[in-house]
Amino acid sequence: MSALVEYLPILPELIVAIGALILLMVGVFQKDEDANLVWFLSMLVMAGAAFFLIKDWGINATLFNESFVVNDFTRLLKVMVLIGGIFTIYMSISFLIDAGIFKSEYMVLMLFALLGMMMMISANDLIAMYLGLEIQSLALYVMAAFRRDNVRSSESGMKYFVLGALSSGMLLYGSSMVYGFSGSIYFSEIAKTALGDGTASIGMVIGLVFVLAGLAFKISAVPFHMWTPDVYEGAPTPVTAFFAICPKVAAMAILLRIIYNAFPDLTTQWNQIIVFISIASMILGAFGAIGQKNIKRLLAYSSIGNMGFALVGLAAGNREGVEGVIIYLMIYMVMTAGVFALVLSMRRNEEMVENIDDLRGLSQTNLSAAFLLALLMFSLAGIPPLAGFFAKFYVFMAAVKADMFILAIVGVLASVVGAFYYLRIIKIMFFDEAKDSFNEMPSQLKVVLGLSGLFVLFYIVYPNPLIEGARLAAKALLPTA
């Protein structure tokens, strides 16, 4: 019994893993049209895992010879990806039914992807990190190509697979370099040997660069963003929503842990890399979205830019920066879920439409949806007093505190440029001549869009729970800062 108690910290992962395996068997013995059971149970599994994570808040543990760590930082980020998974799968049902691909495999693949993300967030050595990353990635490759009868979906799955395999190879090569020069795979041991005789060895720095390159791919940071617009456009829309929310959070979590737990003494080296990819991502995300006509491609460039803003907090190298990154990711998740709820409702005559011009005059045919989407667009643009403004404010202030004024200024200027394409959507919805109305929005999408709009509008009223959660998580990551 005592041996079982030792493994209680991994109960959330066990719930997701066992739940996915059981639902896989349930799916084998039921008809596709009865996939509602798997859909409901998959959300129940995610909610159960999130419940046990919250219940054990404040308890720290390490398992499997310190390969797996559990603390407030890992718990919060896991809860975030699980909530993102619940929102995404809840939004997916109407699209999957209309597209004729409502199958239990979709839910099972999402559970396996979430399991990989949870393992990656808690990984405390290079091998555990890589295993979590691959479990996540293999499920995501299949999800991107889930519409086998659709050429664009198959193409996006292939592009994501080929480029994802390249990034995994870079990550693995960098990990082998780090292991070779440190003599250990554990983050704590790598941290002790990173400087060696007081200076960083060139081999260790090269390994760090390759590791950061592999993780930068997963968060769509420039110059490893090339897959994002094509995969976002080609993948089924609920899968695109999942890509935009959960993997970004998990990859950013392990990026924070790698930098602060494995390479805390190589600040000069990794800071230069993070600053570069942050500036490049903000600029390309801002300018790349301006000419887009497909809303999913626009959201792809928006995602690239948003990851650049989040990296501003990481580059600051202080606890305030970590808090800012976590709060930014929380707010970004909610805003993205709301926007994709509206995108999923863009149907005319039983056909999905994805062009931005299809939103023309939406305020005349569905004023409430147009109003909520306008709120989300203003929030993404960083207009006060909406939640998106505070997300950017936290990371910019962390950069200013770290005397990184140029980085903060570039971020502000990129926000101004990015506001153009967000405001253009609002102009199209409220001032252009109306097109035919969309089909009736499914109730699930109404719920997600409404909750997202209310969140960004009323965040200023009571932000303390998110701020306090981010503070405790940052303290767990940087206990001595």
Side-chain angles (χ1 to χ4, degrees):
M1 182 65 71
S2 60
L4 292 176
V5 172
E6 292 179 9
Y7 293 105
L8 282 179
I10 63 165
L11 183 60
E13 284 79 9
L14 290 175
I15 290 173
V16 175
I18 296 171
L21 293 173
I22 292 174
L23 292 181
L24 182 61
M25 291 298 101
V26 171
V28 169
F29 294 104
Q30 71 165 13
K31 298 178 181 178
D32 287 340
E33 54 266 27
D34 298 326
N36 275 301
L37 175 63
V38 179
W39 174 72
F40 174 75
L41 291 177
S42 61
M43 288 194 293
L44 200 61
V45 167
M46 297 178 203
F51 169 77
F52 282 103
L53 284 165
I54 296 170
K55 184 177 78 71
D56 293 332
W57 193 270
I59 300 174
N60 299 332
T62 56
L63 297 91
F64 309 116
N65 198 24
E66 299 189 0
S67 293
F68 192 92
V69 64
V70 179
N71 55 36
D72 287 348
F73 176 82
T74 63
R75 280 196 185 88
L76 179 61
L77 273 295
K78 288 179 191 177
V79 169
M80 288 168 61
V81 298
L82 287 169
I83 291 174
I86 292 171
F87 270 99
T88 307
I89 210 164
Y90 183 64
M91 292 192 295
S92 300
I93 184 169
S94 58
F95 177 93
L96 298 175
I97 292 173
D98 292 339
I101 54 172
F102 186 43
K103 301 178 184 293
S104 58
E105 298 96 302
Y106 177 86
M107 282 67 82
V108 173
L109 284 167
M110 186 175 291
L111 285 175
F112 279 122
L114 289 170
L115 175 63
M117 294 174 204
M118 294 169 71
M119 290 179 61
M120 186 166 65
I121 291 170
S122 277
N124 202 35
D125 68 43
L126 297 172
I127 294 177
M129 175 187 69
Y130 186 73
L131 286 175
L133 187 70
E134 285 305 294
I135 292 172
Q136 164 200 304
S137 298
L138 290 172
L140 294 180
Y141 298 151
V142 181
M143 291 181 71
F146 199 74
R147 294 192 70 173
R148 292 177 294 175
D149 59 339
N150 186 286
V151 175
R152 289 200 307 167
S153 179
S154 300
E155 180 186 349
S156 72
M158 181 58 69
K159 286 180 178 177
Y160 192 36
F161 169 71
V162 172
L163 294 172
L166 175 64
S167 74
S168 295
M170 295 173 68
L171 179 68
L172 198 57
Y173 179 73
S175 299
S176 66
M177 290 283 288
V178 171
Y179 169 70
F181 282 88
S182 67
S184 177
I185 60 172
Y186 296 100
F187 292 170
S188 58
E189 295 299 318
I190 294 170
K192 293 176 183 177
T193 59
L195 284 182
D197 58 356
T199 58
S201 68
I202 188 66
M204 185 75 81
V205 174
I206 292 173
L208 171 62
V209 169
F210 275 98
V211 169
L212 294 182
L215 294 176
F217 176 90
K218 299 301 179 184
I219 61 171
S220 308
V222 176
F224 307 100
H225 66 287
M226 69 292 290
W227 61 276
T228 313
D230 291 339
V231 173
Y232 272 43
E233 181 183 9
T237 305
V239 176
T240 304
F242 187 60
F243 283 177
I245 299 172
C246 298
K248 302 292 179 65
V249 174
M252 189 66 78
I254 192 61
L255 186 57
L256 285 164
R257 295 201 59 243
I258 279 279
I259 283 175
Y260 289 114
N261 293 158
F263 300 100
D265 295 325
L266 298 187
T267 304
T268 304
Q269 286 75 16
W270 61 252
N271 185 265
Q272 298 175 51
I273 301 170
I274 299 299
V275 168
F276 170 76
I277 63 176
S278 174
I279 292 175
S281 298
M282 289 188 291
I283 292 175
L284 185 133
F287 286 96
I290 291 176
Q292 300 303 320
K293 297 180 179 179
N294 182 289
I295 193 165
K296 288 166 70 175
R297 290 186 73 89
L298 181 144
L299 291 172
Y301 283 101
S302 171
S303 172
I304 294 169
N306 276 291
M307 289 302 102
F309 291 123
L311 287 170
V312 171
L314 196 157
N318 51 35
R319 186 180 287 179
E320 289 79 5
V322 176
E323 292 177 21
V325 172
I326 295 171
I327 295 172
Y328 196 99
L329 292 174
M330 291 179 184
I331 296 173
Y332 166 76
M333 282 178 56
V334 177
M335 294 188 298
T336 303
V339 172
F340 273 101
L342 193 284
V343 174
L344 281 164
S345 72
M346 293 172 62
R347 297 184 66 87
R348 287 197 180 97
N349 302 320
E350 306 307 320
E351 292 290 332
M352 289 290 298
V353 291
E354 298 176 356
N355 286 333
I356 296 171
D357 281 344
D358 289 307
L359 291 168
R360 281 193 301 171
L362 180 63
S363 62
Q364 301 168 41
T365 58
N366 192 338
L367 180 59
S368 59
F371 173 74
L372 290 170
L373 182 60
L375 276 180
L376 294 170
M377 291 292 114
F378 278 128
S379 184
L380 283 165
I383 305 297
L386 302 176
F389 166 77
F390 293 99
K392 293 179 179 178
F393 176 78
Y394 295 137
V395 293
F396 291 160
M397 288 304 296
V400 169
K401 184 175 180 180
D403 296 329
M404 306 182 78
F405 300 107
I406 294 178
L407 183 60
I409 291 170
V410 171
V412 172
L413 294 176
S415 295
V416 173
V417 175
F420 169 79
Y421 56 82
Y422 294 127
L423 298 179
R424 180 164 66 97
I425 293 176
I426 297 172
K427 175 260 181 187
I428 288 171
M429 290 193 299
F430 284 89
F431 299 104
D432 284 11
E433 184 180 347
K435 299 186 74 169
D436 293 339
S437 62
F438 295 135
N439 295 353
E440 176 68 19
M441 183 182 291
S443 58
Q444 297 95 338
L445 302 182
K446 289 180 181 178
V447 170
V448 175
L449 179 59
L451 290 176
S452 300
L454 291 173
F455 174 87
V456 301
L457 183 61
F458 292 108
Y459 170 82
I460 188 175
V461 176
Y462 191 54
N464 288 347
L466 268 64
I467 295 173
E468 181 63 17
R471 187 188 67 79
L472 293 173
K475 185 178 179 180
L477 182 68
L478 297 172
T480 60

